Amino acid sequence: MSKLNSHFIFSVESEANKDNILTFNDTRISVLLPGVIRIEKGAFCDKPTQSFWIRNHGKVNFTSEKKGNKVTIKTDEAEFCVDISKGKPVWAKRDGFTSKCDNKKNLKGTARTLDQAKGAVRLRDGVISLDGAAVVDDSKSLVIAENGEIIPREGEAKDIYVFCYGHKYTEAVKALFALCGESPLIPRYALGNWWSRYHAYSEESYINLMLEFKKKNIPLTVATIDMDWHWVNIRKQFPEFNAKWGDYYIVMDGWTGYSWNTDLFPDYKRFLNTLHSMGLKTTVNLHPANGVRSFEDMYEDMAKAMDKDPKTGERIDFDITDPRFVNAYFDILHHPYEENGVDFWWIDWQQGKKTKTPGLDPLWALNHFHYLDSMREGKRPLILSRYAGIGSHRYPLGFSGDTHMSWSALDFQPYFTSNATNCGYTWWSHDIGGHCRGNHDYEMYTRWVQLGVFSPILRLHSTNNALSGKEPWNYCKQAENIVSDFMRLRHSLIPYIYSMNRRSNKEGRALCEPVYYISPEEKEAYSHKNGFMFGSELFVCPVTEPCSKTTHTALSEAYLPEGRWTNIFNGKIYEGGKKIRFNSFLEEMPVLAKEGAVIPMSLDEGNSISNPEKLKLEIYRGNNTFTLYEDDGETLAFRNGEFSETTINVEEQSKTLKVTLSGAENKPFMPEKREYTFEFCDVAKWEKITVCVDGKETEFSIINENTISTGYTEIENSIEIVLENITATQNEDREKSFINALSRYDAKNGKKTKIYLPMNFIKDKNKLISHVRKLSDDALKNQLLEILEDLK
């Protein structure tokens, strides 16, 4: 009998600690963590399931009391009540919250796909809830056998997990990672800009397109080749192929393929090598549902592997439940292409949820096996595929599918992205710009790319239409210039995003988190869904509506957490702890740095994703510590300590600002020397500055009024910078802000003057707000109210 290849087999602590288990006839309760219990009724299961893998986290302190059919369990952090006759939770308590464990106040998680979505879609439940506890039903999940196969459970059973963390939302997500597996460290190249398009490129046209991006100095790091890399018009290209007209496999005959289209790519190895020489990683699209047919280059080898006679031309069915097929699928169809330049695979499964194993979703199985296969030989694994339920965070990245090109679809994506953290799914990749139908709209495209810059993955994509390409130069010059600048910004932010990538892997904190994670007791944090944290330092409130024709700004609103925040694009300073209106011109968006923020950015030229030789640190006044994380970006060597961490401390006292940078470790993947540029973003001027390298005062270069460079220093050197008697930047005064807003306002001059003149005489702020609220133009009203209400 065939067995799965060894790299598909793994061992985890799937059996709960025996000291944490209570058994009552056919009901078993396992206290897995102080905030999580598992309830089983019927057949008990100690094997890892598709969702939950790791149940032994040591002994948990708890007490239990049985009264009739009810069992109450108290840990150091939470209290649970279970009805053992029904095998279900009754309630859970923590930090003053009591939940009925019915998920009615669940804050939701994510969805399988956004295919064809014109706006919001229904989301599945996550592991956090407004009433303090959430329930995950794992009863239908299959188990992973010792030989790596996915098999049904032995017997009928209820299998329920209760997460009780009150409003400690980040702790609930960390608990999910502890039980299901960590959030993996993403390869560094995936965090830059991706090019993708459903289009029949040739080798020449694709390379020329990449050269055009390079010519325009728009960095790309990932080149996606959609389904037209293989033969797609089967009846025309292979007329001898024997299949019945009307059969599903003929109707969809072009979706599955494993043989390069030599009409378009005469030498695919040369093509992939050329892309690599340009600093690009490659991913190739897969639709494996139709199996392997007789016209494929690998058909004979696959037939022999499956004990079929190649002469018959019989199709080899896709069967992810057959170990022999799984091994051949990877060894014959995929590994040779990987050896010749395919870096990872885009699994575009859309063909249903059934396999020969009842209950096994082929999408989940493909994600699972592809991910395990891609980490063989020490390679850091990566796939691009759709979400397949709790535990899918183990298999990044997520492909959200084919959305409409519409403002409503754009408006849903910020919430959809950050809210997915509630079920641990933190690495969504969207079709930036929208995929199909809808409208070609330069403003919408620009805003979508801006969102993409501050999303887990920025992947431009569009459907197979000659007029729908997402190249920046396919839009007006204003949009091209803005989008190009934002894509350059994304590439420069890789050091910051990669450090957050490590934080996610090590600490269980997502790159994009809902604002209510920080401000869980503020109602406004829940009602304004599109604002989110982008890593530890930045707050983002994307613009998802068009600009006003009169003010040329677009409104976006969010609850801003407490503290001082500075817009990184226009320097406006806000005091948080309330709802904020942001009015943004097309070339800017509300991205705010917290006080004390440190934003590391690469100044290296081109599209290199190496640890930069030229590093810029954007510094904001305050007190904070940031850790810059660096490793080789592609292997699993970091697990053995092969990484470097640089600590940056910011301290503000009175009118003195001190920045201390520890030396980095001199590793093979690090530059020997590094040029540091320090930009003090919210400091207008200083009277004295002192720069010390390894404790010795040294010379430095002044770039502009708030930016200096230390020049190249050894990578191990520490740096200390002290600014004395600093003057902080300030928002422009209210009158000047009014004049600027009304000067840009497009309307009759008489109307503008009528609005402005009373504002010179009304001194009381509340009366001034009342005057503004009476304006008929909502865009101007919101712009002036931002000046009155929100600026610090």
Side-chain angles (χ1 to χ4, degrees), residues 702-715:
I702 298 177
I703 308 300
N704 56 42
E705 67 275 3
N706 66 346
T707 307
I708 70 164
S709 171
T710 60
Y712 280 95
T713 64
E714 301 291 336
I715 198 69

Side-chain angles (χ1 to χ4, degrees), residues 267-511:
D267 186 342
Y268 82 86
K269 297 178 186 178
R270 177 182 64 200
F271 170 62
L272 296 176
N273 285 337
T274 302
L275 291 175
H276 284 158
S277 71
M278 300 171 73
L280 293 158
K281 297 294 185 179
T282 60
T283 183
V284 173
N285 179 275
L286 293 173
H287 286 86
N290 290 358
V292 184
R293 292 163 289 176
S294 59
F295 57 82
E296 300 285 10
D297 296 343
M298 312 83 159
Y299 175 75
E300 184 174 346
D301 288 340
M302 281 295 294
K304 291 178 179 178
M306 299 302 294
D307 289 337
K308 291 182 180 289
D309 183 357
K311 294 178 181 179
T312 66
E314 179 184 355
R315 184 181 66 243
I316 302 166
D317 289 336
F318 171 82
D319 185 2
I320 202 68
T321 69
D322 182 351
R324 183 169 50 174
F325 177 83
V326 172
N327 293 336
Y329 172 82
F330 287 103
D331 293 342
I332 297 172
L333 300 180
H334 296 85
H335 292 173
Y337 285 152
E338 293 172 22
E339 293 169 3
N340 291 321
V342 175
D343 293 293
F344 65 103
W345 299 95
W346 170 15
I347 306 157
D348 202 355
W349 182 268
Q350 305 173 64
Q351 289 78 29
K353 300 182 179 181
K354 295 182 179 179
T355 63
K356 290 181 179 179
T357 299
L360 178 59
D361 181 351
L363 171 63
W364 184 92
L366 280 164
N367 293 352
H368 176 73
F369 287 124
H370 264 281
Y371 200 78
L372 292 178
D373 185 72
S374 69
M375 73 168 64
R376 69 189 191 284
E377 300 175 358
K379 180 182 175 183
R380 197 178 303 178
L382 191 71
I383 60 171
L384 180 65
S385 188
R386 286 174 170 80
Y387 176 74
I390 293 289
S392 290
H393 66 267
R394 295 185 300 257
Y395 317 118
L397 305 159
F399 165 52
S400 67
D402 304 337
T403 54
H404 281 231
M405 296 166 61
S406 64
W407 285 102
S408 57
L410 168 60
D411 183 57
F412 182 61
Q413 283 193 2
Y415 164 67
F416 179 79
T417 304
S418 64
N419 207 71
T421 301
N422 295 348
C423 62
Y425 203 67
T426 61
W427 289 105
W428 269 124
S429 168
H430 304 304
D431 287 0
I432 297 299
H435 179 79
C436 56
R437 300 184 178 89
N439 297 314
H440 186 278
D441 183 323
Y442 79 92
E443 263 195 85
M444 182 174 67
Y445 167 70
T446 302
R447 294 304 192 187
W448 220 317
V449 173
Q450 290 174 343
L451 170 62
V453 170
F454 296 95
S455 295
I457 303 295
L458 195 164
R459 178 178 52 83
L460 297 172
H461 190 64
S462 58
T463 191
N464 188 16
N465 183 307
L467 307 180
S468 69
K470 294 300 190 296
E471 296 92 337
W473 52 90
N474 279 354
Y475 295 80
C476 68
K477 201 65 181 178
Q478 181 188 17
E480 177 186 354
N481 290 339
I482 295 171
V483 165
S484 299
D485 284 343
F486 267 83
M487 291 181 71
R488 295 182 193 108
L489 172 62
R490 171 68 183 206
H491 190 82
S492 71
L493 282 169
I494 289 177
Y496 172 74
I497 300 171
Y498 196 68
S499 296
M500 295 300 101
N501 177 22
R502 176 57 169 172
R503 185 183 76 141
S504 178
N505 167 251
K506 187 177 180 181
E507 301 177 22
R509 297 296 301 272
L511 174 62

Side-chain angles (χ1 to χ4, degrees), residues 240-259:
E240 73 281 7
F241 174 58
N242 181 25
K244 296 178 182 179
W245 182 263
D247 182 79
Y248 170 81
Y249 295 97
I250 274 295
V251 175
M252 303 292 289
D253 66 356
W255 290 91
T256 298
Y258 298 101
S259 308

Side-chain angles (χ1 to χ4, degrees), residues 622-623 650-658 723 725-726:
N623 296 278
V650 181
E651 299 176 59
E652 183 182 22
Q653 291 185 350
S654 186
K655 289 192 173 185
T656 299
L657 184 66
K658 182 168 75 171
L723 308 180
N725 202 15
I726 62 173

